[in-house]
Amino acid sequence: MLLVLFKKFLGKRQSHDHSDIPDSPERKVLQIQEGNIRLRNQFITDYQPYVAKVTSRFCKRYIDPSRDDEFSIALGAFNEAINQFSPESGRSFLSFAETVIRRRLIDFIRKESRFTGQIPYSSFEVEDDEDSIVNPVEVHQAIEQYEKEKTIEERRSEIVDFNRCLQDFGISFGDLVEASPKHSDSREALFEIGALLARDQTMMSIVLVKKMLPIKELLEQVNVSRKTLERNRKFIIAVALIHSGPYPYLKHYLNIPEVHQGGE
């Protein structure tokens, strides 16, 4: 629930990712998702060598696009990745596509092992240093699942901690949702003010000690009215706390770097 409120607090803010670059894969995928069928066909054609490379690396042998079923499976997965990709995930499209391709190839290998026996799943088994039989595919899946669950738990814990921090300022996530500007330009301007506030050690000391927004000091550095600062006090404080606090996941979600305060 807190994550939902946090996303609403951010509104429809887009992270500064590769989707802003005209010729990037991310930008082309967004155009395809908007209905550009011709671009989809060309995009898939252009990236067939990439799909073949990923497939060959996964199968640990050369994959012939004209003959091997694995390539067809991988190409279908690449097309599936185009449909499912979201820039808000924080990942590049090619990284996301490789994950989808690997999952579909694992599914294919399992199916073949179960029904045809042509590609036995056990072919991936090897002996470890203690002469025990291990399956790298299964190990990889287990590690991937563990890392996913660990990330979810750490993100949840971080949001809970941030929520507690907000309560010290008399702010709730519900307040932030209500305070979030409806227009993206206004929201971006407030994000910039929050970032500026976090970089200034003197002003952040006022925020942390007095639990208040240093409006007088901010007015000397920003080109907005006192009324705007007062009306958006909670929003600005929340952004500054994320920038300056121990919140790597929230910072990643906002696509912002770690802040090194220097009293600028």
Side-chain angles (χ1 to χ4, degrees):
M1 182 60 180
L2 289 179
L3 179 58
V4 173
L5 290 175
F6 179 74
K7 290 181 177 180
K8 288 185 178 180
F9 148 56
L10 293 179
K12 295 183 178 179
R13 187 186 193 221
Q14 295 291 333
S15 59
H16 300 292
D17 54 24
H18 298 297
S19 63
D20 294 329
I21 304 175
D23 292 331
S24 69
E26 291 77 17
R27 181 57 184 165
K28 290 182 178 179
V29 168
L30 291 180
Q31 292 176 334
I32 292 170
Q33 290 177 345
E34 292 172 355
N36 193 328
I37 298 177
R38 180 176 298 178
L39 179 59
R40 177 189 290 268
N41 294 335
Q42 185 60 50
F43 186 74
I44 293 175
T45 299
D46 291 342
Y47 277 90
Q48 283 189 11
Y50 170 79
V51 173
K53 178 181 177 181
V54 170
T55 308
S56 296
R57 185 165 61 235
F58 175 83
C59 295
K60 295 181 173 58
R61 64 182 177 85
Y62 172 72
I63 294 297
D64 186 343
S66 65
R67 297 192 308 174
D68 290 319
D69 291 338
E70 289 89 344
F71 178 77
S72 298
I73 298 298
L75 200 62
F78 186 80
N79 185 57
E80 178 184 346
I82 293 175
N83 297 332
Q84 296 180 351
F85 177 71
S86 171
E88 295 179 356
S89 66
R91 300 178 61 183
S92 70
F93 169 73
L94 294 182
S95 173
F96 174 73
E98 180 170 357
T99 298
V100 177
I101 290 171
R102 291 175 65 87
R103 288 174 180 170
R104 294 298 166 261
L105 287 172
I106 289 173
D107 291 341
F108 172 73
I109 291 170
R110 284 175 170 166
K111 181 179 178 181
E112 289 295 297
S113 176
R114 185 179 304 119
F115 294 111
T116 69
Q118 292 179 0
I119 309 177
Y121 198 43
S122 59
S123 64
F124 286 90
E125 293 179 347
V126 297
E127 290 187 357
D128 63 10
D129 294 337
E130 299 178 353
D131 296 328
S132 299
I133 300 299
V134 296
N135 191 307
V137 175
E138 292 181 338
V139 171
H140 173 79
Q141 283 184 291
I143 294 175
E144 188 177 71
Q145 181 62 29
Y146 169 76
E147 292 295 338
K148 180 179 179 181
E149 293 175 356
K150 180 181 177 183
T151 297
I152 292 173
E153 176 57 27
E154 290 179 347
R155 184 187 297 118
R156 186 198 67 79
S157 177
E158 191 172 293
I159 292 177
V160 169
D161 288 342
F162 179 57
N163 186 51
R164 292 194 187 114
C165 180
L166 289 177
Q167 290 175 0
D168 292 339
F169 292 82
I171 302 174
S172 68
F173 272 111
D175 293 334
L176 294 179
V177 173
E178 293 180 1
S180 180
K182 301 299 183 291
H183 296 291
S184 60
D185 290 345
S186 299
R187 196 160 48 244
E188 289 298 325
L190 295 183
F191 273 111
E192 292 298 326
I193 294 174
L196 183 151
L197 175 58
R199 289 193 296 268
D200 192 297
Q201 187 175 13
T202 301
M203 288 196 293
M204 275 307 295
S205 294
I206 295 175
V207 172
L208 297 174
V209 175
K210 298 185 178 181
K211 301 295 187 285
M212 61 179 289
L213 188 67
I215 293 179
K216 179 181 177 181
E217 291 79 359
L218 274 174
L219 285 173
E220 297 176 355
Q221 301 191 43
V222 299
N223 188 28
V224 298
S225 67
R226 172 181 289 270
K227 182 178 179 180
T228 296
L229 293 179
E230 291 175 343
R231 185 172 59 246
N232 296 285
R233 177 186 67 86
K234 295 179 179 180
F235 190 96
I236 296 171
I237 288 176
V239 172
L241 291 174
I242 293 175
H243 272 270
S244 61
Y247 306 114
Y249 286 100
L250 300 187
K251 289 176 183 177
H252 177 74
Y253 193 87
L254 289 173
N255 197 34
I256 56 180
E258 294 286 344
V259 172
H260 300 285
Q261 296 178 347
E264 296 179 353

